[in-house]
Amino acid sequence: MFRRIFLSFWAGLVLILVIGVGVTLAVTSARLHALDGVSSARLTQEARAAGRDGTDALQRWVRRTEARYPTLRVFLVDPQGRELLGRRLPVRLRDWAGLNLAQTVAQWQALRTEALPGAASAHRRAPVPVPDSWWNVPAVESAGGAVHFALFLPFDSSAYEVLGVPYVLVLLFLCAVLVSGAICWVVARHITRPLLAVQHGLRGLAGGALDARLGPALAGRRDELGALAADFNATAQRLQELVSAQERLLRDVSHELRSPLARLRLALELARRDRQGPAAQLDRIERECDRLEGLTGQVLRLARLRDPQPVRGQPLDLAALVGDTLADVAYEAEATGKAVAWQAPPAAVPLQGVAAELSSMLENVVRNALRFTPPGGRVDVSLQADAAQVRIAVRDRGPGIAPELLGQVFTAFFQADPARAGGHAGAGLGLSIAQRVAQRHGGDIRLANRPGGGLVVEITLPR
């Protein structure tokens, strides 16, 4: 990529240089040769012929001549230094005319006097010679006796004469190539250097170095390459978090599985020793197997819900779904002396979603609230909806959670204080599953401690 960018920029600049020099030379040559075949003597004759028709005709001739020859300017100045069209003379002509115009006028008057020796010849014109150089000042008489002196300013080629020297063009070309090459090298290096750094970082990630990051000098740039470096760092950080979470999940799963397996071995050993009454040990084995089955199901469910793609659900009535889910949970809660209070909305709440996932999400949240609610307590559930979203609030009357632990409750296998659970064991996966379901439906879950005690869990879902 470096070679491609470098050579592309360089070739482009060289091409522009060649085209520019060629066009400049062509234009310069055309301007230098624009007056070929044009002489001051012929122009003087044309001016004198136009002057016979008066001053207005002479003015028209000046304008017509300058339009015909863009590289030539013609100024007609009277003996007092006033230009026929009222224009200011260029500086070089003004300085030159100030030194030579008076002398030219005197010479013209002397020639005219010599050509008119007597009063009888008063109406004869002086035979003023026609000049053969651009820098002579011919006299142009017009009808009525007015006289003007012609000042010709042909194209000044002195600034372009240097281009005619062969080695000058070669030096200009080499200088342009070297300068453009150096600039293109710097630009190409400026672009490809960060890309090489990103490539090195990607190879580090592929090799397992999840802590690979691009430096602040690159990530802090205010251009597309800086944005690429910032995205790389964010991606690497996210990958490291995901891998760390995966490793932590495996450790937690192995820890959670180790306890029931140990109890299973103990129950089997006791069953072998107690040959007359193994029924109690078999019941114990059955409970541990059920626990293992439930834990495995939750882990698999959490793994399936890791898909970040949003779900494509079916239309459903969220109010009816919440009511049916809470009816089953409330029936189980009555056995422990607890209650679930449900405030149903007055009308149906249509929503797009997966009914099984939404029901599981609400069930996990409410079961978690009942787990920390003391006997005789109550869990309140409410549903509010507007045009943009729906909010499900679950409020318990348990001990709450320490503020510094609120950000960790959705971590898999996290348990703030198992001792507060009232003797109900849990793996710490319910809220993690509930959060994944809400996120897959485009929503979120937030927790907060209630001022009077307990915890409020708010589920927000878009309409």
Side-chain angles (χ1 to χ4, degrees):
M1 178 173 284
F2 176 84
R3 286 193 300 270
R4 292 177 182 174
I5 296 176
F6 175 76
L7 293 178
S8 298
F9 274 75
W10 199 3
L13 287 180
V14 170
L15 182 61
I16 293 173
L17 172 67
V18 171
I19 295 175
V21 171
V23 172
T24 302
L25 290 176
V27 172
T28 302
S29 177
R31 290 175 65 86
L32 286 175
H33 298 285
L35 297 179
D36 290 350
V38 181
S39 66
S40 60
R42 182 167 66 85
L43 293 177
T44 301
Q45 291 176 354
E46 294 178 359
R48 288 175 177 174
R52 296 189 188 102
D53 296 330
T55 305
D56 293 338
L58 194 58
Q59 290 178 350
R60 290 193 296 270
W61 174 83
V62 172
R63 295 188 179 96
R64 187 170 59 251
T65 301
E66 290 188 345
R68 190 191 315 165
Y69 306 110
T71 60
L72 174 68
R73 301 192 67 186
V74 180
F75 300 91
L76 296 178
V77 184
D78 63 10
Q80 289 74 35
R82 295 170 299 190
E83 206 272 329
L84 179 63
L85 299 180
R87 298 173 296 178
R88 287 179 58 87
L89 296 179
V91 175
R92 50 189 167 178
L93 274 186
R94 189 166 59 247
D95 295 342
W96 183 84
L99 295 175
N100 297 279
L101 186 58
Q103 181 181 358
T104 302
V105 172
Q107 291 176 356
W108 176 81
Q109 291 177 347
L111 290 173
R112 182 179 178 126
T113 301
E114 292 176 0
L116 301 173
S121 304
H123 297 287
R124 294 169 55 192
R125 292 187 177 275
V128 180
V130 176
D132 56 359
S133 172
W134 290 112
W135 309 116
N136 288 335
V137 184
V140 178
E141 295 184 47
S142 58
V147 62
H148 293 83
F149 298 90
L151 300 177
F152 298 105
L153 184 60
F155 181 71
D156 186 7
S157 61
S158 60
Y160 296 92
E161 288 176 353
V162 68
L163 295 178
V165 182
Y167 68 84
V168 171
L169 289 178
V170 176
L171 290 178
L172 288 176
F173 181 79
L174 291 178
C175 179
V177 169
L178 292 177
V179 172
S180 63
I183 294 176
C184 290
W185 189 90
V186 172
V187 172
R189 190 67 176 171
H190 181 72
I191 294 176
T192 56
R193 196 176 200 176
L195 296 180
L196 293 176
V198 174
Q199 181 188 35
H200 180 73
L202 287 173
R203 287 178 178 176
L205 286 178
L210 299 179
D211 57 345
R213 301 290 187 276
L214 299 180
L218 177 56
R221 289 175 47 155
R222 294 182 174 272
D223 55 11
E224 290 81 2
L225 294 174
L228 175 63
D231 291 341
F232 173 85
N233 288 341
T235 302
Q237 179 68 26
R238 181 59 177 163
L239 285 175
Q240 187 176 22
E241 292 176 354
L242 289 176
V243 172
S244 299
Q246 192 75 18
E247 293 175 350
R248 185 171 58 252
L249 176 63
L250 291 176
R251 291 195 303 266
D252 293 339
V253 168
S254 62
H255 174 73
E256 292 293 332
L257 292 177
R258 189 178 295 115
S259 297
L261 286 175
R263 289 192 291 268
L264 280 173
R265 291 193 184 95
L266 179 60
L268 287 173
E269 184 64 24
L270 292 177
R272 290 192 185 100
R273 294 180 182 179
D274 190 4
R275 297 183 181 274
Q276 279 109 22
Q281 307 305 329
L282 293 177
D283 293 340
R284 176 67 139 184
I285 292 174
E286 183 180 6
R287 287 196 304 270
E288 297 301 334
C289 288
D290 293 340
R291 177 178 174 82
L292 283 174
E293 183 180 2
L295 178 60
T296 304
Q298 285 187 318
V299 171
L300 293 176
R301 188 176 208 172
L302 183 63
R304 286 195 300 268
L305 293 176
R306 284 184 179 274
D307 184 8
Q309 297 297 328
V311 297
R312 295 183 179 180
Q314 300 295 326
L316 54 88
D317 181 6
L318 185 61
L321 177 68
V322 173
D324 295 340
T325 302
L326 293 181
D328 297 336
V329 177
Y331 180 77
E332 299 175 6
E334 291 179 358
T336 59
K338 303 176 184 178
V340 177
W342 159 233
Q343 300 177 9
V349 181
L351 190 75
Q352 289 280 124
V354 180
E357 292 187 5
L358 293 175
S359 177
S360 173
M361 172 190 67
L362 181 62
E363 183 178 345
N364 284 329
V365 173
V366 176
R367 287 183 186 277
N368 187 77
L370 288 171
R371 178 184 173 194
F372 290 95
T373 299
R378 186 184 67 188
V379 173
D380 298 319
V381 181
S382 62
L383 172 62
Q384 297 179 348
D386 54 31
Q389 60 185 6
V390 296
R391 291 179 296 276
I392 303 174
V394 179
R395 300 175 176 85
D396 63 42
R397 289 169 173 78
I401 301 177
E404 63 272 13
L405 299 179
L406 284 174
Q408 306 178 37
V409 294
F410 294 111
T411 304
F413 299 102
F414 174 80
Q415 297 186 19
D417 187 0
R420 301 187 195 181
H424 298 278
L429 293 175
L431 291 181
S432 298
I433 294 174
Q435 186 190 46
R436 297 287 171 79
V437 172
Q439 291 175 349
R440 279 166 53 85
H441 284 77
D444 199 7
I445 299 181
R446 293 188 297 271
L447 281 76
N449 287 312
R450 300 177 62 185
L455 194 71
V456 56
V457 181
E458 186 175 88
I459 304 171
T460 305
L461 299 173
R463 296 295 294 272

